């Protein structure tokens, strides 16, 4: 009996080995999950990656796109004929069955262009839905671009503070050497340490600001708040299309902004709705055909014409007044939208130009002057011609000028996102 059990055990081992080999081969043939996820690049390197991710993955845009498709699907049924009706009439029922059986088919026919008007209303509402989706996309893109500007600004400000901390360490080292040689008081090194601690504290605040901007950026794109982002590869590229405010206003007046197009499409729908209500005073008709069966033979064919009598004049007048009021309201909304966009454009353009001029001024005058003053103060301190306070003041002014330039560039870019959201075309 023993050889039988050994042979069975060997067969069982070979079977398990074969199954394990097949399972391993199947696992090797499956595409790795991490490789699939790695095919999609992580956004954050530039503005283009942020825009691409948002337009592809943002759930709000996906929901509105589905609503657009639903509105487009309503266009064809809106102008369709009403369903026909069929009827069967049994007359003279008795023990042997009905003496006469009638079959009738009726088709209501709306007249006076009511069906084309209904289809046009549905088409305009679909256009309004589509334009509203584009307006939401522009708004979300502006929010994402603003968050990305703050994300980039925090990283650049940290780099500037790292450079300032390194300079303060060098100044502290120089002050320590001069103190060891008896050429400067110990307070010089202590002041440098205090200034470096202040810079480190500001750096911590910038780290928090960068993390908050990253969370907001991820949420706007439709990602997890803690999802990873690439480091910015350079300043955000946010060009403004119009050269002057007048040119930007002209672009706006042409009605290309999606929010304005949505309001205008709703106005057109309201106007057609009023026309449709006015035509409800005119009667519609129904055509029908019927056949009569007596026993087992057809006895005749009948043709029918029914005319609707729109006698509820008070109700029809009330519906017309409702449509007129809705048209007036939508006309006012178009004007409000135009005025609001023009005001937002003017404010954003003013802020953009102000930030641009401030940045150019800092680059051309304040930063070069402050840098020259620092190097002059450093050389003079090393030979004892100025005290340590003058050196720290010169270093602080130079670094603050560079930070002010970065802040001005941030403000310029933030205002550019607002201008682009108003004058920009739908993505």
């Amino acid at each position: 009996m023993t050889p039988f059990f050994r042979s069975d055990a060997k067969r069982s081992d070979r079977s398990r080995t074969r199954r394990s080999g097949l399972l391993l081969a199947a696992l090797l043939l499956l595409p790795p999950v991490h490789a699939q996820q790695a095919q999609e690049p992580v956004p954050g390197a530039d503005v283009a990656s942020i825009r691409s991710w948002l337009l592809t993955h943002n759930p709000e845009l996906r929901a509105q796109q589905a609503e657009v498709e639903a509105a487009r699907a309503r266009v064809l049924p809106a102008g369709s004929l009403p369903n026909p009706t069929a009827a069967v009439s049994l007359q003279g029922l008795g023990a042997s069955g009905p003496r006469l059986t009638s079959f009738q088919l009726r088709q209501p026919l709306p007249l006076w262009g009511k069906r084309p008007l209904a289809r046009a209303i549905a088409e305009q509402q679909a256009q309004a839905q589509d334009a509203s989706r584009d307006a939401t996309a522009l708004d979300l893109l502006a929010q994402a671009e603003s968050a990305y500007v703050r994300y980039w600004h925090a990283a650049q400000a940290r780099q500037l503070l790292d450079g300032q901390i390194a300079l303060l360490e060098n100044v502290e080292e120089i002050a320590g050497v001069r103190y060891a040689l008896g050429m400067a008081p110990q307070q010089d090194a202590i002041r440098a340490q205090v200034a470096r601690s202040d810079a480190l504290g500001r750096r911590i605040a910038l780290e928090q600001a960068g993390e908050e901007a990253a969370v907001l950026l991820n949420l706007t794109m439709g990602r997890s708040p803690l999802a990873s982002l690439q480091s910015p590869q350079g300043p955000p590229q946010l060009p403004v299309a119009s050269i002057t405010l007048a040119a930007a206003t002209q672009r706006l007046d042409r009605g290309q902004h999606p929010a304005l197009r949505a309001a205008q499409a709703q106005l057109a729908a309201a106007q057609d709705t009023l026309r449709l209500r006015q035509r409800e005073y005119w009667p519609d008709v129904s055509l029908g055909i019927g056949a009569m069966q007596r026993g087992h033979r057809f006895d005749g064919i009948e043709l029918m014409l029914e005319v609707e009598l729109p006698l509820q004049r008070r109700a029809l007048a009330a519906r017309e007044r409702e449509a007129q009021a809705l048209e007036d309201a939508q006309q006012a909304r178009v004007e409000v939208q135009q005025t609001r966009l023009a005001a937002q454009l003017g404010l954003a353009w003013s802020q953009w130009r102000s930030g641009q001029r401030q940045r150019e001024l800092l680059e051309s005058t304040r930063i070069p002057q402050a840098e020259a003053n620092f190097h002059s103060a450093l050389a003079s301190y090393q030979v004892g011609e100025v005290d340590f306070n003058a050196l720290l003041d010169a270093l602080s002014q130079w670094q603050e000028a560079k930070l002010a330039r970065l802040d001005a560039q941030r403000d310029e870019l933030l205002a550019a996102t607002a201008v682009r959201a108003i004058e920009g075309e739908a993505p």
Side-chain angles (χ1 to χ4, degrees), residues 328-343:
D328 295 341
Q330 197 57 50
Q331 180 66 54
R333 287 193 178 94
V334 172
E335 297 173 1
V336 168
Q337 191 67 258
Q338 182 81 28
T339 304
R340 181 186 296 118
L341 289 173

Side-chain angles (χ1 to χ4, degrees), residues 351-370:
Q351 293 173 345
W352 176 66
R353 287 294 298 150
S354 176
Q356 190 179 61
R357 289 194 295 265
Q358 185 69 20
R359 174 182 57 81
E360 292 171 351
L361 178 63
L362 289 166
E363 290 175 345
S364 61
T365 58
R366 183 178 170 186
I367 291 179
Q369 293 173 357

Side-chain angles (χ1 to χ4, degrees), residues 29-49:
L29 290 175
L30 288 175
V33 177
H34 295 291
Q36 290 179 347
Q37 294 177 350
Q39 291 177 359
E40 193 167 25
V42 176
D46 52 23
V47 175
S49 66

Side-chain angles (χ1 to χ4, degrees), residues 107-329:
Q107 174 62 63
L109 296 175
L111 301 178
W112 322 111
K114 295 177 183 179
R115 289 172 54 210
L117 275 176
R119 185 178 291 114
I121 293 169
E123 178 66 30
Q124 290 151 2
Q125 290 174 345
Q127 292 175 1
Q129 192 75 37
D130 192 13
S132 296
R133 185 263 180 197
D134 291 341
T136 301
L138 279 181
D139 184 57
L140 288 173
L141 286 172
Q143 295 178 31
E145 289 174 354
S146 297
Y148 185 73
V149 167
R150 298 185 186 279
Y151 175 66
W152 163 82
H153 173 267
Q156 292 299 307
R158 288 198 303 270
Q159 291 183 10
L160 287 180
L161 282 177
D162 288 340
Q164 181 178 358
I165 291 169
L167 285 174
L168 286 170
E169 290 175 350
N170 292 335
V171 169
E172 180 184 354
E173 183 179 355
I174 294 173
V177 171
R178 287 175 56 81
Y179 169 70
L181 296 175
M183 301 173 61
Q186 186 180 9
Q187 287 79 1
D188 289 357
I190 296 175
R191 293 192 188 96
Q193 293 174 359
V194 172
R196 184 164 63 88
S197 299
D198 292 340
L200 288 172
R202 295 174 63 183
R203 192 183 190 284
I204 293 174
L206 284 172
E207 289 178 352
Q208 180 181 356
E211 293 173 356
E212 292 175 355
V215 169
L216 180 59
L217 179 57
N218 277 324
L219 289 176
T220 306
M221 287 190 292
R223 306 175 77 221
S224 169
L226 301 180
S228 62
L229 290 168
Q230 291 191 31
S231 299
Q233 299 301 312
Q237 300 300 315
L238 299 171
V240 173
S242 301
I243 301 177
T244 62
L245 178 58
T249 304
Q250 289 177 359
R251 289 169 61 93
L252 184 62
D253 292 339
R254 288 196 292 268
Q256 296 302 312
H257 192 278
L260 188 57
R261 287 192 286 109
Q264 291 170 343
Q266 290 286 7
L267 173 60
Q271 291 171 342
D272 282 345
T273 300
L274 176 59
R275 297 188 186 99
L276 182 60
R277 295 292 177 263
Q278 292 170 343
R279 295 185 186 188
E280 288 177 350
Y281 289 96
W282 304 345
D284 293 332
V285 299
S286 294
L287 296 179
I289 185 171
M292 292 175 291
Q293 180 179 353
R294 191 181 301 275
H296 297 287
R297 63 183 180 83
F298 283 97
D299 197 35
I301 295 176
E302 62 176 341
L303 297 176
M304 293 162 286
L305 173 64
E306 295 181 354
V307 179
E308 177 193 16
L309 299 178
L311 300 179
Q312 302 295 329
R313 295 289 175 165
R314 294 180 61 184
L316 292 175
R319 297 180 68 180
E320 182 183 0
R321 289 195 302 271
E322 175 196 10
Q324 181 66 65
L326 290 176
E327 180 191 4
D328 295 341

Side-chain angles (χ1 to χ4, degrees), residues 10 16 24 40 70 104 117 144 164 168 214 223 343 345 404 407-408:
K10 289 180 179 179
R16 283 196 298 269
L24 179 60
E40 193 167 25
Q104 298 177 347
L117 275 176
Q164 181 178 358
L168 286 170
R223 306 175 77 221
L345 176 61
D407 291 344

